[in-house]
Amino acid sequence: ALGLFTGIGLSEAKARETLRNGALSALLRRAVLQAQSTLGPALDKATGTLLYNAAARLRDPKHLGFLVGYIARREILTDLQLSAALEYVRHHPLEPLDAADFEQACGVGVCISPEQIEEAVEAVISEHRAELLAERYHFNMGLLMGEARSRLRWADGKTIKNEVDLQVLHLLGPKTEADLEKKPKAAKARPVPVEKQKVAVVENSEVGTETRSLLEQLRGEALKFHKPGENYKTEGYVVTPNTMALLKQHLAITGGQVRTRFPPEPNGILHIGHAKAINFNFGYAKANGGVCFLRYDDTNPEKEEEKYFTAIRDMVEWLGYQPYAVTHASDYFDQLYTWALELIRRGQAYVCHQKVEEIKGHNPPPSPWRDRPVEESLLLFEDMRKGKFGEGEATLRMKLVMEDGKMDPVAYRVKFTPHHRTGDKWCIYPTYDYTHCLCDSIEHITHSLCTKEFQARRSSYFWLCNALDVYCPVQWEYGRLNLLYTVVSKRKIIRLVETGAVRDWDDPRLFTLTALRRRGFPPEAINNFCARVGVTVAQATMEPHLLEACAREVLNEQAPRAMAILEPLKVTITNFPAPKALEVLVPNFPADESRGFHKVPFQPTVYIEETDFREEMDKGYKRLAPGQPVGLRHAGYVIAVQSVIKDASGRVIELEVTCTKSDMAEKPKAFIHWVSEPLTCEVRLYERLFLHKNPEDPSEVPGGFLSDLNPDSLRVVPNALVDSSVLSARPFDKFQFERLGYFSVDPDSKEGKMVFNRTVTLKEDPGKA
């Protein structure tokens, strides 16, 4: 199998990684053998790449043979066609497929002639002729490309670009000095600080002006929230004879202030879904001049660790929010216990001996101890507290039927595990159903915001506060935020760590907040992403590229530019114009030179990307080649190849070139980045951790999420070259490496060897599914 896979162009390392994924390797083997039966044993790399992508990206394996047939018959030739084919079969699950409809959707048999491309480009340029003549080379040529491609979907993009360049040159002639000047950028209006923005908001039919934060993103029900103290106006709220008196006391304590809370369990690291909860809870309070508590739900000591407490607070503050107070459910254990005794006395709770397995699910048998005398339950609950029952031998249950039909949720259970804050004081611990609403009541929370899966707990929330005659906040549920191509379950992330698929919770391929920070995502980008998703009742499942787009927007403004080379090719300038190294001034932000410059050494030996040189030019190739000079970005020089030096195997290892000042040379077709006297650094390039959109979905990934790991999710470049301007950078500092993407300094960096993580590429990769 290894030979079979390397025979289609996979590297040996990638072939071995593919073999470790049983499901993928089985599909790929089928695909290769089928293609060989048509094309013979020798398959070219382009065909091999298509076969690999088909096997890796296909959701339903029953269509594999159908797709491979088209690849083997050379009817699907490009990744663009394959993507269209995969999309088609995904939306047409029934067999047999309509071959004619499929072929039309995938461009099978479509041949775009040079004349068609010429005519399409000519038509587009004709439509924009007036603007082109007015703006000349400052016109957005990408617009022409985009419109031409939309007319000829299956045409080769490079060929279209060459035709656009040719026809624009014919229309406008060579560039003049005025064309070479940078187009002055219109000054961007600086956004008004979030705290100072105002927006009219309708609440309870009254218009009020509130400070705007994420409030403008709240839609639908969120704008109908009750005002503090007007809880009784909420649909479904339980009003008792004491409700109004309790609300009056509540208002006297809070002064009518909005109070929210973010209540994470300290048993794992926060993920992207928690970012939405943080933004909503802290953002809603801030938008209304209120406060938000950070309250740790530390009622399960078996799974809690100090590192999680620290990491949770770090992430909240990293996202830009400062808790009004940091509290713990354990702060209230004494009060919660006292209330549990009161609940028993009121005949609303009882000690039960049914096993955990018996009361699981939505239709457990009724407890035979439901009607035991109050005095007996009080004595048995005291025995639970004293440790006279083993774990699972007794629980305290509340007497109610929840919204989803589940009967008598557990309030307390026995756990002989010391607590990180209370030590051995307790061997009984309250559950979420019992603790959460009562902690909200103690802290006088006005709006208890939680995700949709807690809707079934709303009935117990209202019931318990009223059963004890204490202030009752209002619970409101919103949809979770999920991302495709990832898992966020703590249990599954632990499995990924244990199996070595990722290094730890902060591995940059994950979507925990610590991982996103390590990869280089700015907190502003995460907050902007949450704002765009909005707070709606429906669950939102988003594509990762939407988060990446938010990161690009922020990093474009924040990340200073530098030059880096991932695959170095040595270039010696034989007529270097000075006896010693020169210094080149490079703008930190080329679009705004007022933000400063950094110096880069320029000497006779420089390094360029291997891919920026070819011995033989293809049509449309614009970078360095014999007979085709290129400019060196920012240096003010154009280089031309004089000789190509190769090693014994024929690989190019060095170029000897001559240089000419830019103003003395004909304008080159391209400018490339370069480094001189660089730092040797490690660069880590990341792709999606999983091959399928829903790695936890058995219909999409029958072998389970661990079988869906992308073998190319991490590529390490151990000896990349980066210009020396980054030398003083510290962990989490961010840069744009020109033409390569946005990068962040990894905490693994040490003196003499910096490590960079690529956060995102400069543009979204259109080849991604």
Side-chain angles (χ1 to χ4, degrees):
L2 182 67
L4 190 71
F5 292 170
T6 54
I8 63 168
L10 296 188
S11 67
E12 184 172 333
K14 187 167 183 177
R16 290 187 184 281
E17 285 170 346
T18 302
L19 285 169
R20 286 197 287 272
N21 184 333
L24 174 59
S25 58
L27 288 176
L28 183 56
R29 179 183 174 84
R30 272 176 51 195
V32 173
L33 293 175
Q34 180 183 337
Q36 286 179 334
S37 69
T38 302
L39 297 170
L43 300 179
D44 59 84
K45 187 172 182 180
T47 301
T49 301
L50 288 172
L51 294 173
Y52 181 88
N53 287 337
R57 292 160 57 190
L58 184 62
R59 282 189 177 185
D60 190 344
K62 72 184 178 186
H63 293 307
L64 183 68
F66 182 80
L67 290 182
V68 171
Y70 278 90
I71 294 170
R73 295 192 299 272
R74 311 286 195 195
E75 291 174 324
I76 288 179
L77 293 164
T78 66
D79 194 61
L80 183 65
Q81 285 182 292
L82 179 61
S83 295
L86 291 166
E87 191 69 12
Y88 184 92
V89 297
R90 187 165 73 87
H91 288 104
H92 296 78
L94 299 178
E95 291 188 311
L97 293 172
D98 184 330
D101 191 41
F102 170 83
E103 290 173 7
Q104 184 178 359
C106 306
V108 172
V110 176
C111 181
I112 307 294
S113 68
E115 291 77 14
Q116 286 175 288
I117 292 175
E118 184 179 343
E119 287 171 8
V121 171
E122 190 175 325
V124 170
I125 287 179
S126 177
E127 288 176 11
H128 295 279
R129 182 183 177 86
E131 301 101 288
L132 271 165
L133 291 172
E135 297 184 37
R136 291 184 57 78
Y137 286 97
H138 289 136
F139 183 82
N140 178 10
M141 302 301 172
L143 179 65
L144 305 179
M145 274 284 297
E147 290 190 13
R149 289 207 69 167
S150 68
R151 296 175 185 227
L152 300 171
R153 182 183 176 190
W154 306 110
D156 178 65
K158 289 182 180 177
T159 308
I160 290 179
K161 188 176 186 312
N162 292 340
E163 186 62 32
V164 168
D165 292 342
L166 188 66
Q167 292 198 28
V168 168
L169 181 64
H170 181 72
L171 175 65
L172 303 180
K175 288 185 180 180
T176 64
E177 285 188 18
D179 293 326
L180 296 174
E181 289 178 10
K182 287 184 179 176
K183 184 178 181 180
K185 285 206 169 185
K188 286 187 180 177
R190 292 204 174 270
V192 179
V194 169
E195 291 78 5
K196 295 180 182 176
Q197 295 183 38
K198 299 287 181 180
V199 63
V201 176
V202 179
E203 292 192 89
N204 296 328
S205 303
E206 298 176 24
V207 178
T209 302
E210 305 289 356
T211 303
R212 181 155 94 173
S213 176
L214 286 182
L215 191 59
E216 72 273 22
Q217 299 299 333
L218 305 184
R219 303 189 189 105
E221 294 303 312
L223 295 182
K224 300 175 188 173
F225 280 168
H226 64 282
K227 290 180 179 178
E230 295 185 353
N231 304 28
Y232 60 89
K233 292 187 177 181
T234 305
E235 185 179 349
Y237 190 79
V238 179
V239 178
T240 72
N242 289 331
T243 292
M244 301 315 290
L246 289 167
L247 289 176
K248 188 175 180 181
Q249 292 172 13
H250 160 72
L251 283 175
I253 291 168
T254 66
Q257 179 186 56
V258 167
R259 290 185 167 204
T260 61
R261 81 293 164 269
F262 173 59
E265 296 177 71
N267 60 357
I269 298 296
L270 302 182
H271 55 71
I272 188 67
H274 291 113
K276 176 178 176 179
I278 291 168
N279 272 279
F280 193 14
N281 278 289
F282 283 90
Y284 184 76
K286 186 177 180 182
N288 290 278
V291 297
C292 183
F293 291 72
L294 169 59
R295 185 205 309 142
Y296 295 108
D297 179 21
D298 57 342
T299 57
N300 194 0
E302 295 167 322
K303 297 181 179 180
E304 295 158 8
E305 294 182 41
E306 187 58 39
K307 69 177 182 179
Y308 297 140
F309 287 86
T310 304
I312 286 169
R313 182 165 185 175
D314 285 349
M315 289 300 96
V316 168
E317 294 180 349
W318 177 64
L319 288 177
Y321 296 107
Q322 196 62 42
Y324 167 71
V326 177
T327 60
H328 303 72
S330 57
D331 295 339
Y332 312 119
F333 276 179
D334 288 326
Q335 177 64 70
L336 295 174
Y337 177 72
T338 300
W339 273 336
L341 294 174
E342 179 62 23
L343 203 61
I344 297 171
R345 291 189 192 103
R346 293 186 178 207
Q348 303 285 15
Y350 62 96
V351 172
C352 174
H353 304 291
Q354 283 179 296
K355 302 297 183 188
V356 174
E357 296 74 24
E358 291 181 74
I359 59 176
K360 272 186 177 177
H362 288 290
N363 295 299
S367 171
W369 294 279
R370 196 172 200 264
D371 296 319
R372 76 188 328 159
V374 167
E375 295 75 14
E376 190 172 302
S377 281
L378 284 170
L379 288 171
L380 292 171
F381 190 49
E382 180 66 11
D383 287 345
M384 285 173 62
R385 188 183 71 81
K386 290 179 177 178
K388 293 183 179 180
F389 286 104
E391 292 189 14
E393 291 181 359
T395 59
L396 181 70
R397 295 176 69 181
M398 298 177 277
K399 287 187 182 180
L400 80 146
V401 179
M402 295 174 70
E403 196 170 308
D404 61 356
K406 190 169 183 180
M407 195 170 181
D408 295 359
V410 172
Y412 271 87
R413 67 278 204 219
V414 176
K415 285 182 181 289
F416 292 107
T417 303
H419 191 278
H420 71 289
R421 298 185 74 241
T422 60
D424 292 323
K425 179 178 178 179
W426 301 95
C427 66
I428 55 171
Y429 292 99
T431 61
Y432 174 91
D433 286 322
Y434 178 78
T435 306
H436 187 66
C437 61
L438 295 179
C439 288
D440 280 353
S441 180
I442 292 169
E443 294 175 352
H444 282 273
I445 300 304
T446 59
H447 299 79
S448 181
L449 312 174
C450 57
T451 47
K452 199 70 178 170
E453 68 264 32
F454 292 102
Q455 182 169 337
R457 267 76 173 261
R458 188 199 299 166
S459 51
S460 67
Y461 187 106
F462 289 160
W463 177 89
L464 183 53
C465 290
N466 289 311
L468 288 168
D469 251 347
V470 297
Y471 159 70
C472 183
V474 175
Q475 175 174 307
W476 186 86
E477 306 88 17
Y478 58 91
R480 287 173 65 102
L481 168 60
N482 295 313
L483 277 187
L484 298 171
Y485 296 103
T486 189
V487 298
V488 293
S489 152
K490 295 165 189 170
R491 180 176 57 82
K492 288 175 179 172
I493 291 176
I494 289 170
R495 290 281 292 127
L496 290 170
V497 174
E498 289 172 346
T499 57
V502 298
R503 290 172 50 175
D504 208 338
W505 288 82
D506 65 348
D507 187 296
R509 290 166 289 182
L510 295 173
F511 283 88
T512 60
L513 294 183
T514 50
L516 290 170
R517 178 179 64 171
R518 184 166 190 168
R519 184 156 169 173
F521 279 81
E524 300 92 331
I526 295 172
N527 292 343
N528 292 347
F529 175 64
C530 292
R532 289 182 185 181
V533 171
V535 181
T536 56
V537 176
Q539 179 169 298
T541 302
M542 312 301 289
E543 291 272 4
H545 69 75
L546 299 173
L547 174 60
E548 292 168 2
C550 291
R552 289 187 188 95
E553 287 177 9
V554 174
L555 291 170
N556 186 50
E557 298 296 323
Q558 290 186 356
R561 279 39 170 180
M563 291 191 287
I565 301 296
L566 300 185
E567 297 176 338
L569 175 59
K570 183 179 179 182
V571 175
T572 301
I573 302 172
T574 57
N575 65 334
F576 193 74
K580 60 180 183 177
L582 301 173
E583 279 189 339
V584 173
L585 280 179
V586 176
N588 295 328
F589 295 88
D592 183 2
E593 295 187 352
S594 67
R595 298 178 69 180
F597 293 78
H598 59 272
K599 293 179 180 178
V600 172
F602 178 45
Q603 62 173 8
T605 299
V606 299
Y607 297 87
I608 66 171
E609 292 283 1
E610 278 189 353
T611 53
D612 280 342
F613 170 74
R614 288 186 191 173
E615 283 191 89
E616 296 182 6
M617 287 187 290
D618 294 333
K619 185 180 178 183
Y621 180 74
K622 293 187 176 181
R623 283 165 276 166
L624 186 61
Q628 180 164 284
V630 294
L632 297 179
R633 282 180 65 76
H634 310 297
Y637 285 89
V638 174
I639 59 172
V641 176
Q642 298 302 300
S643 61
V644 178
I645 300 170
K646 301 181 181 180
D647 62 13
S649 68
R651 180 172 170 265
V652 176
I653 57 171
E654 184 180 350
L655 303 176
E656 289 184 344
V657 304
T658 56
C659 71
T660 309
K661 283 190 72 68
S662 296
D663 55 7
M664 305 291 290
E666 183 180 339
K667 186 175 186 305
K669 291 182 179 179
F671 286 81
I672 62 174
H673 61 287
W674 53 277
V675 293
S676 186
E677 292 184 27
L679 305 173
T680 300
C681 303
E682 179 178 307
V683 169
R684 298 169 182 171
L685 306 174
Y686 299 98
E687 297 293 342
R688 290 172 182 156
L689 183 59
F690 296 100
L691 295 168
H692 290 80
K693 285 187 174 183
N694 300 293
E696 297 169 277
D697 184 348
S699 65
E700 198 169 324
V701 184
F705 73 102
L706 288 176
S707 73
D708 196 46
L709 293 169
N710 176 7
D712 298 320
S713 62
L714 170 62
R715 179 164 77 91
V716 177
V717 181
N719 295 305
L721 304 178
V722 185
D723 77 48
S724 54
S725 67
V726 305
L727 183 59
S728 60
R730 295 291 174 260
F732 306 117
D733 284 354
K734 297 161 182 58
F735 298 89
Q736 183 197 106
F737 290 166
E738 297 197 28
R739 296 174 63 209
L740 298 179
Y742 294 101
F743 291 76
S744 178
V745 181
D746 189 87
D748 284 347
S749 298
K750 54 192 176 188
E751 191 172 348
K753 190 64 175 280
M754 297 180 74
V755 178
F756 287 90
N757 296 317
R758 184 166 68 189
T759 308
V760 288
T761 54
L762 292 181
K763 294 180 181 178
E764 182 190 343
D765 182 358
K768 284 184 180 178

